[in-house]
């Protein structure tokens, strides 16, 4: 997070004081840098310069309308997994012709809506889904553009919960079966085959699983060519890891260059290339600012109890994810440093944001959880009847609220006694 820095011992994001942001908007608070997001997206896009391509930002990582609108203005495509995400991208002003639709359980209503607005492609994850799309397209008298999401049975070497490309994962069509499913798809009256797709997992820091998956996909593309089925685009999915601690992430340009070499080796130079990055675009754009409510020392345990919890940011609780936590004030002379557990208000022992963090903190201090721009707010819940927090978008010189803090009334909206 290169825009986060200490100035005379106080933490700033670009030119904005964390203390002032917290005072103005309250805590807990998500803050994202628009400049950073644009930079990440443009870097990916430039790596593909000169080739037919589309970067389809995976909106599940962060679906705030202001962020979607920022990316839409750059010309981004979008990868969605639900009708809710589709409605969001439309609301944000995106072009439906740049939307690809992934997900294993697309409902009839979702397929119908996607056909109605005219998306770029359905990433089909099973044979019954293909049949469902065909019958809905036929009823609506439309031709459905499809690609098959192929499960290449490759170990992404990441956390098991975010690994998706192994044969025992629910995702995609096994690569042994895919050729036959393409042949079936070709026979369907209201289906048009456009592409092939794979996504093997998230937070990958090793390039080899990407390349192994590409080998399997490209072998299949050539087999399909022999069958007379021409693949017009290859979607390599998302999954690029980011730096939370000391990981060395794969640069988008390195991934692109390696994959382009593979395309040449398999004589697939002329296809359009798609990617579906989420985390690598937004993770390090964002932070969660939280305030210390209490400090509690018991036996050998030191707790900094803060106002943000697993309801706001579930990654540490769900994946034991390590996320950097910075104090707003760099040094606290005279204050003892303890190995703190940073815990939230939720009534669960899994409610922590960090463990064993050497910090000097006192009641009222602000802490900043870094790299929280991806899978932070989008995975937030109202557990323990906590209203969802506010979101702010900053750039070099300005800041603005892009989502109001929820009110208590919103907690029971739609409920009746
Ligand atoms: N495409 C598909 C079909 C996906 O399922 C995903 C993520 C992406 C693209 C974007 O992957 P990314 O570039 O963000 O790695 N909640 C977890 C991550 C779940 C990822 C789910 N799928 C976390 O907080 O680590």
């Amino acid at each position: 997070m290169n825009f986060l820095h200490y100035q005379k011992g106080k933490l700033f994001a670009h030119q904005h004081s964390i203390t002032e942001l917290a005072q103005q908007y309250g805590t807990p608070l998500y803050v994202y840098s628009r400049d950073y997001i644009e930079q990440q997206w443009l870097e990916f896009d430039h790596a593909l310069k000169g080739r037919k391509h589309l970067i389809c930002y995976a909106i599940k990582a962060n679906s705030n309308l202001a962020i979607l609108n920022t990316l839409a203005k750059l010309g981004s495509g979008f990868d969605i997994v639900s009708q809710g995400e589709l409605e969001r991208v439309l609301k944000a002003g995106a072009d439906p012709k740049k939307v690809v639709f992934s997900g294993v359980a697309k409902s009839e209503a979702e397929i119908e809506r996607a056909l109605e607005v005219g998306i770029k492609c359905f990433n089909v994850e099973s044979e019954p889904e293909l049949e469902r799309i065909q019958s809905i397209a036929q009823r609506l008298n439309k031709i459905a553009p499809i690609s098959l999401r192929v499960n290449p049975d490759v170990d992404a070497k990441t956390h098991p919960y975010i690994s998706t490309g192994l044969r025992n994962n629910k995702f995609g069509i096994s690569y042994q079966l895919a050729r036959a499913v393409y042949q079936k798809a070709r026979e369907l009256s209201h289906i048009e085959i456009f592409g092939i797709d794979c996504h093997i997992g998230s937070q990958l820091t090793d390039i080899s699983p990407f390349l192994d998956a590409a080998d399997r996909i490209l072998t299949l593309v050539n087999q399909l060519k022999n069958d007379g089925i021409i693949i017009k685009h290859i979607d390599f999915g998302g999954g690029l890891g980011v730096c939370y601690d000391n990981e060395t992430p794969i640069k988008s340009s390195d991934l692109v260059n390696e994959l382009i070499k593979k395309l040449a080796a398999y004589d697939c130079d002329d296809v359009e290339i798609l990617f579906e990055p989420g985390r690598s675009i937004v993770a390090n754009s964002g932070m969660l600012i939280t305030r210390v409510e209490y400090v509690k020392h018991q036996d050998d345990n030191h707790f900094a109890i803060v106002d943000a919890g697993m309801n706001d940011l579930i990654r540490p609780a769900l994946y034991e994810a390590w996320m950097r936590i910075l104090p707003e004030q760099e040094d606290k002379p005279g204050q003892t440093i303890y190995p703190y557990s940073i815990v939230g208000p939720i009534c669960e022992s899994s409610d922590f944001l960090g463990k064993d963090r050497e910090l000097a903190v006192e009641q009222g201090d602000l802490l900043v959880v870094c790299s929280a721009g991806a899978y932070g707010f989008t995975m937030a819940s109202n557990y323990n009847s906590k209203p969802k927090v506010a979101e702010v978008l900053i750039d070099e010189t300005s800041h603005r609220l892009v989502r109001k803090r929820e009110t208590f009334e919103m907690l029971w909206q739609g409920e009746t006694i």
Side-chain angles (χ1 to χ4, degrees):
M1 299 186 72
N2 50 9
F3 59 92
L4 206 55
H5 55 97
Y6 286 101
Q7 223 168 288
K8 295 192 181 135
K10 307 289 259 169
L11 195 57
F12 281 72
H14 294 298
Q15 297 174 14
H16 314 294
S17 138
I18 296 298
T19 304
E20 281 170 21
L21 289 172
Q23 264 162 7
Q24 177 162 349
Y25 300 104
T27 61
L29 179 71
Y30 274 103
V31 176
Y32 316 114
S33 161
R34 187 167 61 89
D35 294 344
Y36 182 91
I37 294 169
E38 288 183 342
Q39 210 179 299
Q40 289 302 106
W41 189 91
L42 287 169
E43 209 174 292
F44 216 138
D45 196 57
H46 285 164
L48 286 151
K49 214 169 152 197
R51 301 195 72 103
K52 197 166 179 230
H53 71 276
L54 187 63
I55 307 285
C56 296
Y57 166 66
I59 94 160
K60 61 174 80 67
N62 188 323
S63 55
N64 184 286
L65 289 185
I67 291 180
L68 301 183
N69 176 262
T70 298
L71 293 172
K73 283 202 278 207
L74 294 179
S76 185
F78 295 92
D79 168 52
I80 59 159
V81 290
S82 69
Q83 188 176 345
E85 290 194 345
L86 177 57
E87 302 302 343
R88 267 186 184 275
V89 293
L90 296 174
K91 181 87 188 158
D95 178 358
K97 294 209 167 42
K98 291 185 175 177
V99 170
V100 296
F101 194 169
S102 306
V104 291
K106 298 175 192 80
S107 70
E108 294 210 356
E110 288 179 321
I111 293 168
E112 203 168 313
R113 177 74 173 138
L115 281 170
E116 185 185 298
V117 301
I119 64 165
K120 179 177 173 70
C121 198
F122 289 92
N123 290 337
V124 176
E125 304 227 16
S126 65
E127 219 174 313
E129 181 190 327
L130 182 68
E131 287 159 7
R132 182 178 275 184
I133 295 174
Q134 153 71 15
S135 82
I136 297 172
Q138 189 162 26
R139 172 160 53 78
L140 299 179
N141 199 21
K142 302 230 178 215
I143 300 293
I146 65 114
S147 78
L148 297 189
R149 174 169 176 183
V150 174
N151 182 326
D153 194 20
V154 164
D155 185 356
K157 300 185 191 130
T158 181
H159 190 286
Y161 287 9
I162 52 176
S163 184
T164 51
L166 281 169
R167 66 201 308 173
N168 59 1
N169 296 132
K170 67 178 174 180
F171 298 99
I173 297 169
S174 116
Y175 77 95
Q176 289 95 339
L177 297 176
R179 193 172 175 182
V181 182
Y182 270 109
Q183 280 158 359
K184 174 174 175 171
R186 174 174 48 186
E187 304 306 320
L188 297 174
S189 57
H190 289 70
I191 294 286
E192 185 173 353
I193 298 169
F194 272 85
I196 192 163
D197 163 51
C198 76
H199 170 78
I200 55 172
S202 198
Q203 184 55 15
L204 272 73
T205 48
D206 179 355
I207 201 166
S208 57
F210 279 115
L211 302 181
D212 294 346
D215 277 324
R216 297 210 152 157
I217 295 296
L218 292 167
T219 303
L220 196 52
V221 171
N222 281 336
Q223 286 170 351
L224 292 170
K225 212 183 283 176
N226 292 336
D227 298 342
I229 296 172
I230 303 301
I231 294 298
K232 301 186 197 83
H233 77 235
I234 302 180
D235 180 343
F236 290 107
L240 275 180
V242 302
C243 182
Y244 286 100
D245 183 7
N246 52 15
E247 303 89 338
T248 317
I250 309 157
K251 280 201 204 139
S252 50
S253 55
D254 289 343
L255 177 65
V256 165
N257 291 340
E258 290 303 316
L259 289 175
I260 284 176
K261 276 190 222 158
K262 287 253 176 244
L263 290 172
Y266 283 86
D267 201 17
C268 292
D269 276 317
D270 48 349
V271 293
E272 182 184 12
I273 305 172
L274 270 59
F275 283 99
E276 302 168 356
R279 190 191 312 265
S280 58
I281 307 293
V282 288
N284 276 316
S285 77
M287 68 199 90
L288 176 63
I289 306 177
T290 181
R291 196 177 288 282
V292 178
E293 296 281 10
Y294 302 101
V295 174
K296 183 154 99 173
H297 303 280
Q298 279 176 172
D299 306 318
D300 291 337
N301 300 306
H302 309 281
F303 297 102
I305 305 173
V306 298
D307 60 3
M310 64 192 285
N311 56 308
D312 303 306
L313 178 61
I314 203 174
R315 302 194 67 258
L318 190 58
Y319 316 112
E320 294 189 330
W322 189 95
M323 301 176 74
R324 188 174 307 286
I325 299 178
L326 295 176
E328 187 278 328
Q329 199 175 320
E330 196 171 17
D331 296 308
K332 302 211 72 171
Q335 197 79 36
T336 315
I337 294 178
Y338 289 106
Y340 278 104
S341 288
I342 317 295
V343 299
I346 300 300
C347 300
E348 301 258 356
S349 291
S350 58
D351 180 27
F352 67 92
L353 298 176
K355 287 183 176 165
D356 278 327
R357 303 303 173 92
E358 299 279 337
L359 290 168
V361 291
E362 58 188 324
Q363 196 165 334
D365 281 0
L366 292 170
L367 296 176
V368 169
V369 187
C370 301
S371 316
Y375 306 110
F377 191 92
T378 48
M379 294 181 82
S381 77
N382 291 114
Y383 188 38
N384 281 198
S385 286
K386 302 291 257 178
K388 287 195 189 148
V389 309
E391 294 175 288
V392 165
L393 194 64
I394 59 173
D395 57 27
E396 193 55 46
T397 52
S398 67
H399 51 83
R400 66 193 167 94
L401 189 66
V402 290
R403 192 187 212 268
K404 283 187 195 157
R405 192 174 297 280
E406 284 184 355
T407 60
F408 293 113
E409 284 70 26
M410 288 164 90
L411 288 177
W412 49 82
Q413 217 167 42
E415 292 181 32
T416 46
I417 291 176

